[in-house]
Amino acid sequence: MNDAFYQSFLEATRNVFHLMLDLDQLTEKHVQPDTAESSAETICIAIGVTGSLQGKITYIFPNDTTLKMVKIMSGGMEFSAVDDFVTSAIGEIANIISGKALIELSERKIACDILPPEVLPNGVPKGTGHCKEQNRVALHTDIGDIELDIQLEAQK
Amino acid sequence: MIWKEKYKLGVPLIDKQHEELFRRVNDFVETVRKPVPWIEKSKTINETMDFMKDYVVSHFHDEEMYQKEIGYPARKEHRKIHNDMVSYVVNIARQYEEDPGNEQLIQQFGGKLLAWLINHVASEDQKIADFVRSKEAAKHE
């Protein structure tokens, strides 16, 4: 994985959590793709990337963390299930993070576009390894751990 | 959905409109999430859809006029974000008119609107305030 791609997505995630959720403590920990396993209690949102980079970013949010994120955004409303409203709000968060990361990359002459968020009903396949530049990272936050599965390949 | 002081740009007209948008979207989200039959929510939802179609367009117009007035350099990119949102709102409103019982559509709209508005005001619009501050600082250097 090119470190520039990776850092752009991490920084964008930190930025969005800070601005939208008032969460400032995001601690990074690497995850081995071959051993990573998403539990059933997660929502996985994939954002396709086209242009100078090709591939996709998958955001893996535990259900409990997802509900807390939407609760913060709504100003304290209680959400008991990951339903259409919650999924749409979290899909938009994934979209916003990806958009910010790509703006940052475009300043370094890496021009890409993103595709609309897609919910992966079966989660992320573990240890796919089909992409040359692959990485997966977990971020610990005060409301739970989230993961980013970054599978991007630079086009020649 | 809570309006916060940190969202203020320091432009009274725009700040007032943002606050109103937050208030209306908050009412909309509370209505959409209420555990009552869909039919009981339809009046508020119809009103909000009408409000959003008109108010979003006029607010975006005012904001773009202000950007022009101050010579904001990223106004083309900002305008695209506005246009994309207007298209989205118009498209949802059209689908809702055709199928007023489509609760899934409105739940999805509510979720996206909540996240989109917070990000737009807390992040994208703050770049305008940053630009004004940097212009002011440059004047005093």
mmCIF file with all atom_site columns, all heavy atoms in Angstrom, chain A residues 30-48:
data_model
loop_
_atom_site.group_PDB
_atom_site.id
_atom_site.type_symbol
_atom_site.label_atom_id
_atom_site.label_alt_id
_atom_site.label_comp_id
_atom_site.label_asym_id
_atom_site.label_entity_id
_atom_site.label_seq_id
_atom_site.pdbx_PDB_ins_code
_atom_site.Cartn_x
_atom_site.Cartn_y
_atom_site.Cartn_z
_atom_site.occupancy
_atom_site.B_iso_or_equiv
_atom_site.pdbx_formal_charge
_atom_site.auth_seq_id
_atom_site.auth_comp_id
_atom_site.auth_asym_id
_atom_site.auth_atom_id
_atom_site.pdbx_PDB_model_num
ATOM 1   N N   . HIS A 1 30 ? -2.921  -1.675  13.205 1.00 0.00 ? 30 HIS A N   1
ATOM 2   C CA  . HIS A 1 30 ? -2.976  -2.416  11.944 1.00 0.00 ? 30 HIS A CA  1
ATOM 3   C C   . HIS A 1 30 ? -3.651  -3.773  12.121 1.00 0.00 ? 30 HIS A C   1
ATOM 4   O O   . HIS A 1 30 ? -3.578  -4.366  13.180 1.00 0.00 ? 30 HIS A O   1
ATOM 5   C CB  . HIS A 1 30 ? -1.567  -2.604  11.380 1.00 0.00 ? 30 HIS A CB  1
ATOM 6   C CG  . HIS A 1 30 ? -1.009  -1.336  10.848 1.00 0.00 ? 30 HIS A CG  1
ATOM 7   N ND1 . HIS A 1 30 ? -1.195  -0.940  9.554  1.00 0.00 ? 30 HIS A ND1 1
ATOM 8   C CD2 . HIS A 1 30 ? -0.317  -0.342  11.448 1.00 0.00 ? 30 HIS A CD2 1
ATOM 9   C CE1 . HIS A 1 30 ? -0.629  0.236   9.381  1.00 0.00 ? 30 HIS A CE1 1
ATOM 10  N NE2 . HIS A 1 30 ? -0.073  0.627   10.511 1.00 0.00 ? 30 HIS A NE2 1
ATOM 11  N N   . VAL A 1 31 ? -4.260  -4.214  11.042 1.00 0.00 ? 31 VAL A N   1
ATOM 12  C CA  . VAL A 1 31 ? -4.946  -5.510  11.062 1.00 0.00 ? 31 VAL A CA  1
ATOM 13  C C   . VAL A 1 31 ? -4.396  -6.321  9.899  1.00 0.00 ? 31 VAL A C   1
ATOM 14  O O   . VAL A 1 31 ? -4.210  -5.796  8.807  1.00 0.00 ? 31 VAL A O   1
ATOM 15  C CB  . VAL A 1 31 ? -6.475  -5.307  10.863 1.00 0.00 ? 31 VAL A CB  1
ATOM 16  C CG1 . VAL A 1 31 ? -7.198  -6.632  10.821 1.00 0.00 ? 31 VAL A CG1 1
ATOM 17  C CG2 . VAL A 1 31 ? -7.044  -4.426  11.956 1.00 0.00 ? 31 VAL A CG2 1
ATOM 18  N N   . GLN A 1 32 ? -4.079  -7.560  10.137 1.00 0.00 ? 32 GLN A N   1
ATOM 19  C CA  . GLN A 1 32 ? -3.615  -8.424  9.039  1.00 0.00 ? 32 GLN A CA  1
ATOM 20  C C   . GLN A 1 32 ? -4.816  -8.824  8.180  1.00 0.00 ? 32 GLN A C   1
ATOM 21  O O   . GLN A 1 32 ? -5.750  -9.442  8.697  1.00 0.00 ? 32 GLN A O   1
ATOM 22  C CB  . GLN A 1 32 ? -2.960  -9.689  9.599  1.00 0.00 ? 32 GLN A CB  1
ATOM 23  C CG  . GLN A 1 32 ? -1.623  -9.434  10.278 1.00 0.00 ? 32 GLN A CG  1
ATOM 24  C CD  . GLN A 1 32 ? -0.582  -8.931  9.313  1.00 0.00 ? 32 GLN A CD  1
ATOM 25  O OE1 . GLN A 1 32 ? -0.505  -9.380  8.170  1.00 0.00 ? 32 GLN A OE1 1
ATOM 26  N NE2 . GLN A 1 32 ? 0.211   -7.960  9.746  1.00 0.00 ? 32 GLN A NE2 1
ATOM 27  N N   . PRO A 1 33 ? -4.791  -8.512  6.880  1.00 0.00 ? 33 PRO A N   1
ATOM 28  C CA  . PRO A 1 33 ? -5.948  -8.839  6.049  1.00 0.00 ? 33 PRO A CA  1
ATOM 29  C C   . PRO A 1 33 ? -6.319  -10.316 6.065  1.00 0.00 ? 33 PRO A C   1
ATOM 30  O O   . PRO A 1 33 ? -7.472  -10.672 6.019  1.00 0.00 ? 33 PRO A O   1
ATOM 31  C CB  . PRO A 1 33 ? -5.513  -8.416  4.645  1.00 0.00 ? 33 PRO A CB  1
ATOM 32  C CG  . PRO A 1 33 ? -4.407  -7.441  4.859  1.00 0.00 ? 33 PRO A CG  1
ATOM 33  C CD  . PRO A 1 33 ? -3.732  -7.825  6.135  1.00 0.00 ? 33 PRO A CD  1
ATOM 34  N N   . ASP A 1 34 ? -5.275  -11.177 6.155  1.00 0.00 ? 34 ASP A N   1
ATOM 35  C CA  . ASP A 1 34 ? -5.576  -12.609 6.094  1.00 0.00 ? 34 ASP A CA  1
ATOM 36  C C   . ASP A 1 34 ? -6.249  -13.136 7.353  1.00 0.00 ? 34 ASP A C   1
ATOM 37  O O   . ASP A 1 34 ? -6.827  -14.204 7.357  1.00 0.00 ? 34 ASP A O   1
ATOM 38  C CB  . ASP A 1 34 ? -4.293  -13.410 5.834  1.00 0.00 ? 34 ASP A CB  1
ATOM 39  C CG  . ASP A 1 34 ? -3.844  -13.193 4.398  1.00 0.00 ? 34 ASP A CG  1
ATOM 40  O OD1 . ASP A 1 34 ? -4.693  -12.813 3.568  1.00 0.00 ? 34 ASP A OD1 1
ATOM 41  O OD2 . ASP A 1 34 ? -2.648  -13.396 4.129  1.00 0.00 ? 34 ASP A OD2 1
ATOM 42  N N   . THR A 1 35 ? -6.129  -12.362 8.434  1.00 0.00 ? 35 THR A N   1
ATOM 43  C CA  . THR A 1 35 ? -6.745  -12.845 9.668  1.00 0.00 ? 35 THR A CA  1
ATOM 44  C C   . THR A 1 35 ? -7.962  -12.022 10.055 1.00 0.00 ? 35 THR A C   1
ATOM 45  O O   . THR A 1 35 ? -8.699  -12.397 10.949 1.00 0.00 ? 35 THR A O   1
ATOM 46  C CB  . THR A 1 35 ? -5.734  -12.797 10.842 1.00 0.00 ? 35 THR A CB  1
ATOM 47  O OG1 . THR A 1 35 ? -5.275  -11.458 10.954 1.00 0.00 ? 35 THR A OG1 1
ATOM 48  C CG2 . THR A 1 35 ? -4.570  -13.729 10.602 1.00 0.00 ? 35 THR A CG2 1
ATOM 49  N N   . ALA A 1 36 ? -8.129  -10.886 9.386  1.00 0.00 ? 36 ALA A N   1
ATOM 50  C CA  . ALA A 1 36 ? -9.239  -10.009 9.747  1.00 0.00 ? 36 ALA A CA  1
ATOM 51  C C   . ALA A 1 36 ? -10.564 -10.703 9.491  1.00 0.00 ? 36 ALA A C   1
ATOM 52  O O   . ALA A 1 36 ? -10.736 -11.384 8.495  1.00 0.00 ? 36 ALA A O   1
ATOM 53  C CB  . ALA A 1 36 ? -9.167  -8.723  8.938  1.00 0.00 ? 36 ALA A CB  1
ATOM 54  N N   . GLU A 1 37 ? -11.426 -10.520 10.402 1.00 0.00 ? 37 GLU A N   1
ATOM 55  C CA  . GLU A 1 37 ? -12.728 -11.165 10.265 1.00 0.00 ? 37 GLU A CA  1
ATOM 56  C C   . GLU A 1 37 ? -13.815 -10.227 10.784 1.00 0.00 ? 37 GLU A C   1
ATOM 57  O O   . GLU A 1 37 ? -13.727 -9.753  11.906 1.00 0.00 ? 37 GLU A O   1
ATOM 58  C CB  . GLU A 1 37 ? -12.726 -12.453 11.080 1.00 0.00 ? 37 GLU A CB  1
ATOM 59  C CG  . GLU A 1 37 ? -13.828 -13.374 10.667 1.00 0.00 ? 37 GLU A CG  1
ATOM 60  C CD  . GLU A 1 37 ? -13.610 -14.780 11.221 1.00 0.00 ? 37 GLU A CD  1
ATOM 61  O OE1 . GLU A 1 37 ? -12.632 -15.028 11.907 1.00 0.00 ? 37 GLU A OE1 1
ATOM 62  O OE2 . GLU A 1 37 ? -14.482 -15.617 10.949 1.00 0.00 ? 37 GLU A OE2 1
ATOM 63  N N   . SER A 1 38 ? -14.768 -9.940  9.954  1.00 0.00 ? 38 SER A N   1
ATOM 64  C CA  . SER A 1 38 ? -15.834 -9.056  10.409 1.00 0.00 ? 38 SER A CA  1
ATOM 65  C C   . SER A 1 38 ? -16.894 -9.892  11.119 1.00 0.00 ? 38 SER A C   1
ATOM 66  O O   . SER A 1 38 ? -17.310 -10.929 10.615 1.00 0.00 ? 38 SER A O   1
ATOM 67  C CB  . SER A 1 38 ? -16.491 -8.370  9.211  1.00 0.00 ? 38 SER A CB  1
ATOM 68  O OG  . SER A 1 38 ? -15.530 -7.632  8.531  1.00 0.00 ? 38 SER A OG  1
ATOM 69  N N   . SER A 1 39 ? -17.302 -9.404  12.260 1.00 0.00 ? 39 SER A N   1
ATOM 70  C CA  . SER A 1 39 ? -18.353 -10.142 12.956 1.00 0.00 ? 39 SER A CA  1
ATOM 71  C C   . SER A 1 39 ? -19.675 -9.872  12.250 1.00 0.00 ? 39 SER A C   1
ATOM 72  O O   . SER A 1 39 ? -19.786 -8.985  11.432 1.00 0.00 ? 39 SER A O   1
ATOM 73  C CB  . SER A 1 39 ? -18.413 -9.694  14.409 1.00 0.00 ? 39 SER A CB  1
ATOM 74  O OG  . SER A 1 39 ? -19.219 -8.558  14.517 1.00 0.00 ? 39 SER A OG  1
ATOM 75  N N   . ALA A 1 40 ? -20.692 -10.646 12.624 1.00 0.00 ? 40 ALA A N   1
ATOM 76  C CA  . ALA A 1 40 ? -22.005 -10.486 11.990 1.00 0.00 ? 40 ALA A CA  1
ATOM 77  C C   . ALA A 1 40 ? -22.629 -9.158  12.387 1.00 0.00 ? 40 ALA A C   1
ATOM 78  O O   . ALA A 1 40 ? -23.456 -8.613  11.677 1.00 0.00 ? 40 ALA A O   1
ATOM 79  C CB  . ALA A 1 40 ? -22.905 -11.623 12.383 1.00 0.00 ? 40 ALA A CB  1
ATOM 80  N N   . GLU A 1 41 ? -22.201 -8.627  13.534 1.00 0.00 ? 41 GLU A N   1
ATOM 81  C CA  . GLU A 1 41 ? -22.806 -7.409  14.058 1.00 0.00 ? 41 GLU A CA  1
ATOM 82  C C   . GLU A 1 41 ? -22.117 -6.160  13.534 1.00 0.00 ? 41 GLU A C   1
ATOM 83  O O   . GLU A 1 41 ? -21.726 -5.299  14.306 1.00 0.00 ? 41 GLU A O   1
ATOM 84  C CB  . GLU A 1 41 ? -22.757 -7.436  15.597 1.00 0.00 ? 41 GLU A CB  1
ATOM 85  C CG  . GLU A 1 41 ? -23.548 -8.568  16.222 1.00 0.00 ? 41 GLU A CG  1
ATOM 86  C CD  . GLU A 1 41 ? -25.036 -8.452  15.920 1.00 0.00 ? 41 GLU A CD  1
ATOM 87  O OE1 . GLU A 1 41 ? -25.601 -7.378  16.144 1.00 0.00 ? 41 GLU A OE1 1
ATOM 88  O OE2 . GLU A 1 41 ? -25.618 -9.435  15.435 1.00 0.00 ? 41 GLU A OE2 1
ATOM 89  N N   . THR A 1 42 ? -21.893 -6.094  12.262 1.00 0.00 ? 42 THR A N   1
ATOM 90  C CA  . THR A 1 42 ? -21.266 -4.906  11.682 1.00 0.00 ? 42 THR A CA  1
ATOM 91  C C   . THR A 1 42 ? -22.042 -4.478  10.444 1.00 0.00 ? 42 THR A C   1
ATOM 92  O O   . THR A 1 42 ? -22.800 -5.264  9.861  1.00 0.00 ? 42 THR A O   1
ATOM 93  C CB  . THR A 1 42 ? -19.810 -5.159  11.239 1.00 0.00 ? 42 THR A CB  1
ATOM 94  O OG1 . THR A 1 42 ? -19.813 -6.189  10.254 1.00 0.00 ? 42 THR A OG1 1
ATOM 95  C CG2 . THR A 1 42 ? -18.913 -5.559  12.389 1.00 0.00 ? 42 THR A CG2 1
ATOM 96  N N   . ILE A 1 43 ? -21.821 -3.231  10.073 1.00 0.00 ? 43 ILE A N   1
ATOM 97  C CA  . ILE A 1 43 ? -22.317 -2.777  8.780  1.00 0.00 ? 43 ILE A CA  1
ATOM 98  C C   . ILE A 1 43 ? -21.085 -2.420  7.943  1.00 0.00 ? 43 ILE A C   1
ATOM 99  O O   . ILE A 1 43 ? -20.189 -1.718  8.426  1.00 0.00 ? 43 ILE A O   1
ATOM 100 C CB  . ILE A 1 43 ? -23.319 -1.608  8.918  1.00 0.00 ? 43 ILE A CB  1
ATOM 101 C CG1 . ILE A 1 43 ? -23.711 -1.074  7.551  1.00 0.00 ? 43 ILE A CG1 1
ATOM 102 C CG2 . ILE A 1 43 ? -22.801 -0.483  9.785  1.00 0.00 ? 43 ILE A CG2 1
ATOM 103 C CD1 . ILE A 1 43 ? -24.905 -0.138  7.556  1.00 0.00 ? 43 ILE A CD1 1
ATOM 104 N N   . CYS A 1 44 ? -21.037 -2.933  6.723  1.00 0.00 ? 44 CYS A N   1
ATOM 105 C CA  . CYS A 1 44 ? -19.899 -2.690  5.833  1.00 0.00 ? 44 CYS A CA  1
ATOM 106 C C   . CYS A 1 44 ? -20.363 -1.851  4.649  1.00 0.00 ? 44 CYS A C   1
ATOM 107 O O   . CYS A 1 44 ? -21.289 -2.234  3.926  1.00 0.00 ? 44 CYS A O   1
ATOM 108 C CB  . CYS A 1 44 ? -19.331 -4.008  5.327  1.00 0.00 ? 44 CYS A CB  1
ATOM 109 S SG  . CYS A 1 44 ? -18.725 -5.042  6.656  1.00 0.00 ? 44 CYS A SG  1
ATOM 110 N N   . ILE A 1 45 ? -19.719 -0.714  4.460  1.00 0.00 ? 45 ILE A N   1
ATOM 111 C CA  . ILE A 1 45 ? -20.059 0.188   3.360  1.00 0.00 ? 45 ILE A CA  1
ATOM 112 C C   . ILE A 1 45 ? -18.860 0.278   2.424  1.00 0.00 ? 45 ILE A C   1
ATOM 113 O O   . ILE A 1 45 ? -17.761 0.669   2.852  1.00 0.00 ? 45 ILE A O   1
ATOM 114 C CB  . ILE A 1 45 ? -20.378 1.615   3.878  1.00 0.00 ? 45 ILE A CB  1
ATOM 115 C CG1 . ILE A 1 45 ? -21.374 1.586   5.032  1.00 0.00 ? 45 ILE A CG1 1
ATOM 116 C CG2 . ILE A 1 45 ? -20.798 2.532   2.738  1.00 0.00 ? 45 ILE A CG2 1
ATOM 117 C CD1 . ILE A 1 45 ? -22.815 1.576   4.676  1.00 0.00 ? 45 ILE A CD1 1
ATOM 118 N N   . ALA A 1 46 ? -19.053 -0.063  1.166  1.00 0.00 ? 46 ALA A N   1
ATOM 119 C CA  . ALA A 1 46 ? -17.957 0.008   0.189  1.00 0.00 ? 46 ALA A CA  1
ATOM 120 C C   . ALA A 1 46 ? -18.138 1.235   -0.698 1.00 0.00 ? 46 ALA A C   1
ATOM 121 O O   . ALA A 1 46 ? -19.253 1.558   -1.109 1.00 0.00 ? 46 ALA A O   1
ATOM 122 C CB  . ALA A 1 46 ? -17.950 -1.260  -0.666 1.00 0.00 ? 46 ALA A CB  1
ATOM 123 N N   . ILE A 1 47 ? -17.019 1.913   -0.953 1.00 0.00 ? 47 ILE A N   1
ATOM 124 C CA  . ILE A 1 47 ? -17.024 3.060   -1.864 1.00 0.00 ? 47 ILE A CA  1
ATOM 125 C C   . ILE A 1 47 ? -16.039 2.737   -2.981 1.00 0.00 ? 47 ILE A C   1
ATOM 126 O O   . ILE A 1 47 ? -14.832 2.578   -2.733 1.00 0.00 ? 47 ILE A O   1
ATOM 127 C CB  . ILE A 1 47 ? -16.561 4.354   -1.138 1.00 0.00 ? 47 ILE A CB  1
ATOM 128 C CG1 . ILE A 1 47 ? -17.428 4.646   0.090  1.00 0.00 ? 47 ILE A CG1 1
ATOM 129 C CG2 . ILE A 1 47 ? -16.492 5.537   -2.104 1.00 0.00 ? 47 ILE A CG2 1
ATOM 130 C CD1 . ILE A 1 47 ? -18.667 5.452   -0.137 1.00 0.00 ? 47 ILE A CD1 1
ATOM 131 N N   . GLY A 1 48 ? -16.531 2.625   -4.186 1.00 0.00 ? 48 GLY A N   1
ATOM 132 C CA  . GLY A 1 48 ? -15.667 2.346   -5.330 1.00 0.00 ? 48 GLY A CA  1
ATOM 133 C C   . GLY A 1 48 ? -14.877 3.588   -5.725 1.00 0.00 ? 48 GLY A C   1
ATOM 134 O O   . GLY A 1 48 ? -15.351 4.713   -5.577 1.00 0.00 ? 48 GLY A O   1
#
